[in-house]
Amino acid sequence: MMKYFTKRWNLYKGKKRLNLLKNEVTGLYVNQELFAFLQNLTNLLKSKDEKLYYLQFCKKTILQIRRFPDRNHYEAFKEEYDLFFSAIRKEQQQYNPIRWIDAELEFLQTAFIGKTPTSEPIDEKPRRDWMTTAEMEQRLGTSKMALRRRMAEGMPFTKLGNQLRFDPNLVDAWLLAQN
């Protein structure tokens, strides 16, 4: 299952990735399976910021959407499901995905405090972290109008001359605050 997810994950960007992740998380109603998925997801992600963003999204999804088997399938096999859920009731409580995500987020946020990258030389000229409007549209998987709407809602940007630039770290922080 994770191999299929990883293949689709690498093909998708932006909102499609979030929909894929939402569908995957809501389909995992056994907490132990959800734990394994979340661990594989964090291993799949490269940067700390990506891990923070997608784990926050998973937490939001878990809190807002009830994870339960397909209703028709449940009705067809109600007795088996009820037996299964009563057998794993203690296990479901022990493996609390929200506690796991909170612990992982806390670790990610504190693990890098006080650490400065020693491999990068400090230079006097500014780094090119800023993204153009087209790059930000592609990164978020949105249209120009949707990007303008987000800017009107308060998404951070800077105007350099007559061009708009976006700091991806500030945009990510703003997006997390919106969720």
Side-chain angles (χ1 to χ4, degrees):
M1 178 171 72
M2 191 65 190
K3 194 175 195 180
Y4 181 67
F5 173 83
T6 305
K7 187 176 182 180
R8 290 181 297 159
W9 180 266
N10 291 329
L11 291 175
Y12 295 159
K13 299 283 182 222
K15 205 161 191 90
K16 279 189 170 186
R17 266 192 179 177
L18 294 178
N19 286 334
L20 174 67
L21 190 56
K22 179 180 174 183
N23 291 337
E24 198 69 30
V25 167
T26 55
L28 295 170
Y29 47 88
V30 177
N31 287 348
Q32 202 166 8
E33 292 174 355
L34 181 59
F35 269 46
F37 172 76
L38 291 171
Q39 287 173 336
N40 287 331
L41 176 68
T42 55
N43 292 336
L44 177 67
L45 301 171
K46 303 290 183 233
S47 74
K48 172 191 159 199
D49 292 335
E50 272 188 315
K51 290 178 184 185
L52 289 170
Y53 177 76
Y54 288 114
L55 284 174
Q56 284 284 8
F57 180 79
C58 288
K59 181 178 178 181
K60 175 187 162 221
T61 302
I62 292 167
L63 289 171
Q64 290 181 345
I65 296 175
R66 186 169 182 220
R67 297 176 302 120
F68 200 74
D70 176 61
R71 178 61 56 194
N72 294 331
H73 198 264
Y74 175 78
E75 291 299 327
F77 298 98
K78 186 174 175 37
E79 290 178 17
E80 288 88 350
Y81 272 114
D82 289 343
L83 284 172
F84 175 71
F85 283 132
S86 66
I88 66 165
R89 183 167 287 127
K90 285 184 183 177
E91 204 172 90
Q92 286 287 86
Q93 293 169 352
Q94 179 184 358
Y95 291 98
N96 183 333
I98 299 301
R99 275 196 339 233
W100 186 91
I101 290 173
D102 285 341
E104 191 71 16
L105 290 170
E106 183 180 342
F107 170 77
L108 288 170
Q109 290 168 346
T110 59
F112 297 97
I113 291 177
K115 291 186 179 180
T116 56
T118 55
S119 60
E120 293 182 25
I122 299 173
D123 57 348
E124 295 299 317
K125 52 186 178 173
R127 296 185 351 229
R128 190 201 176 301
D129 286 345
W130 296 94
M131 297 178 83
T132 65
T133 304
E135 291 171 335
M136 187 53 68
E137 288 171 15
Q138 184 179 17
R139 183 171 190 253
L140 298 176
T142 62
S143 66
K144 186 176 279 191
M145 289 304 297
L147 185 64
R148 297 276 182 189
R149 191 169 42 252
R150 286 185 175 177
M151 289 167 53
E153 292 170 354
M155 186 172 84
F157 67 93
T158 301
K159 197 164 187 180
L160 299 174
N162 61 352
Q163 295 181 350
L164 300 175
R165 294 290 187 255
F166 301 88
D167 181 344
N169 296 328
L170 292 176
V171 171
D172 288 344
W174 182 81
L175 288 171
L176 279 174
Q178 299 305 303
N179 293 332

